[in-house]
Amino acid sequence: MTVRRTLLLTKQDVLDLINMPDVIQAVEEAYKAISRGDVVQPDYMTVEQTAPGRGELDIKACYFPGNEGISIKFGGGGYTENPKKYGFPTGFGMVVLFDATTCFPVCVMDSSLITGYRTGAAGAVSVKCMARKDARVVTSIGTGNQARNQIRAISQVMDIREVYAYDRFPASVEAFKRDMEAEFSIPVHCCATAQEAVSHADVLVTTTRGTGDFIQRDWVKPGTHIAAIGADQQGKKELDARLFKGARVIVDSMPQCVSKGETWNALHEGIITQEEICGELGEVLLGQKVGRASDQEITIFDTTGTAMQDNTTSFAIYHNAVKQGRGQYFDFYGVAGQD
């Protein structure tokens, strides 16, 4: 039956309906669909503000015939004055879901958890496909909410024995250590320098909003897998671009990553050519490409985030909400009682 009312899901609703194993499955589905060409996914748009304390609003849209759903996510971040001035987080966001057969808006939901979970899941899927099978140590450069989601997700696909962490704010590292040790009973080592943290990594995750070479080529030992999460725009940079030379580079979306993020940095600096990018993570999941050729190889997964990840994740949440009777319905257009 055609949906005639719009469901509103608050952040608490989404929290009660979301779980990392389901999101990892949804993200894998998204990556496969992208690499099969089963997705209509236009370039995403960013509205940037340059005033001090202001951030950006990203708009990502996607149509997936597999679920006959259209999703549009509005995600704001980087509003650094929010906590101090207004008691708000540094960003807000929402997802609007449409029934592709009618274009009726079937759901509006908070996106802050979706973005965090699906980005964490992206790192985890890359670890599953590209890290050494004997990898046991994760290093986190950056210790904010996304760093926590990376550990939560990676723990689903890897037996983590130790975590090393670095952040330019020592209090943030201490809070990360306290929270992660309480949640996972895994020892977390606070490092005084990024180099110290990187030197221990089997899996290296970067989740900062950096604009420089935070991670130097000489720090990374052979066999390390790098999940480059933070640099999703031109101007953002966490890795020494020389890391890309000779590494196995896999991206979430080829069109996006050659135009923004860490891969673009390496291309722009002339370190690699586009032909040296091995492929997309979806191709690895489909068995079309290899995620790792040897235990000595450095592998890099570059993600700029895709609308398709939001699509599969948010529609899974929506269908769970309908089944469980969660949320509040609105009849925006006065059509709910019509045949």
Side-chain angles (χ1 to χ4, degrees):
M1 182 176 180
T2 301
V3 176
R4 296 182 178 276
R5 295 185 299 165
T6 303
L7 182 63
L8 175 65
L9 297 176
T10 66
K11 184 175 182 178
Q12 185 61 50
D13 290 326
V14 174
L15 178 62
D16 292 341
L17 292 163
I18 199 169
N19 68 79
M20 193 60 81
D22 284 352
V23 176
I24 290 173
Q25 182 178 351
V27 167
E28 288 193 8
E29 179 186 7
Y31 285 149
K32 290 176 184 177
I34 290 170
S35 294
R36 284 195 303 258
D38 293 344
V39 179
V40 178
Q41 185 174 247
D43 291 342
Y44 70 81
M45 181 172 67
T46 298
V47 180
E48 294 187 78
Q49 299 182 71
T50 58
R54 301 287 182 88
E56 74 220 15
L57 178 70
D58 294 333
I59 303 168
K60 297 182 178 181
C62 177
Y63 164 51
F64 180 34
N67 60 20
E68 281 299 348
I70 298 170
S71 61
I72 304 177
K73 187 181 79 172
F74 305 87
Y79 288 76
T80 56
E81 296 296 312
N82 276 7
K84 181 173 60 177
K85 283 190 174 182
Y86 309 108
F88 288 163
T90 57
F92 289 99
M94 63 189 296
V95 174
V96 183
L97 302 180
F98 298 85
D99 179 345
T101 60
T102 63
C103 205
F104 187 86
V106 297
C107 188
V108 179
M109 70 177 73
D110 171 77
S111 73
S112 57
L113 292 168
I114 292 168
T115 300
Y117 271 60
R118 64 84 156 150
T119 305
V125 175
S126 81
V127 169
K128 176 182 174 181
C129 293
M130 301 174 66
R132 300 191 326 270
K133 298 306 179 186
D134 65 348
R136 296 292 182 268
V137 179
V138 176
T139 286
S140 179
I141 303 299
T143 54
N145 287 333
Q146 184 49 232
R148 288 164 166 78
N149 281 324
Q150 290 293 322
I151 299 300
R152 292 182 182 113
I154 293 171
S155 69
Q156 298 290 319
V157 301
M158 171 182 163
D159 180 14
I160 304 175
R161 301 289 178 84
E162 292 181 282
V163 175
Y164 288 80
Y166 171 79
D167 194 293
R168 61 195 180 98
F169 300 107
S172 178
V173 184
E174 292 293 339
F176 178 81
K177 172 183 172 66
R178 182 178 62 250
D179 293 346
M180 293 296 92
E181 287 186 340
E183 188 170 344
F184 295 103
S185 299
I186 297 170
V188 176
H189 308 282
C190 301
C191 297
T193 66
Q195 182 175 2
E196 178 191 355
V198 171
S199 69
H200 295 280
D202 294 328
V203 171
L204 170 61
V205 181
T206 59
T207 62
T208 76
R209 298 178 63 83
T211 57
D213 297 355
F214 287 176
I215 309 302
Q216 295 297 311
R217 171 66 183 85
D218 297 340
W219 300 352
V220 179
K221 64 185 182 182
T224 301
H225 172 60
I226 302 172
I229 307 298
D232 59 354
Q233 294 284 349
Q234 288 189 19
K236 293 182 181 180
K237 194 171 192 285
E238 298 177 305
L239 305 181
D240 177 352
R242 294 177 301 162
L243 273 161
F244 281 73
K245 192 65 178 179
R248 181 171 297 270
V249 179
I250 299 289
V251 299
D252 59 359
S253 165
M254 189 70 74
Q256 281 189 187
C257 289
V258 300
S259 63
K260 60 194 74 176
E262 294 292 358
T263 302
W264 179 85
N265 290 330
L267 292 167
H268 184 68
E269 294 180 30
I271 302 298
I272 60 170
T273 64
Q274 187 167 338
E275 289 68 32
E276 293 176 274
I277 302 169
C278 294
E280 295 179 331
L281 192 55
E283 294 177 287
V284 179
L285 289 165
L286 291 167
Q288 299 169 354
K289 297 288 177 70
V290 175
R292 169 174 290 274
S294 77
D295 283 349
Q296 295 301 302
E297 191 174 44
I298 291 174
T299 56
I300 300 174
F301 172 60
D302 182 23
T303 173
T304 52
T306 68
M308 184 56 183
Q309 292 169 259
D310 301 318
N311 183 292
T312 52
T313 301
S314 55
F315 267 100
I317 292 168
Y318 167 66
H319 290 306
N320 283 341
V322 173
K323 289 177 183 176
Q324 297 179 30
R326 293 297 300 263
Q328 183 175 356
Y329 282 98
F330 290 87
D331 182 11
F332 281 120
Y333 302 102
V335 297
Q338 299 181 13
D339 293 331

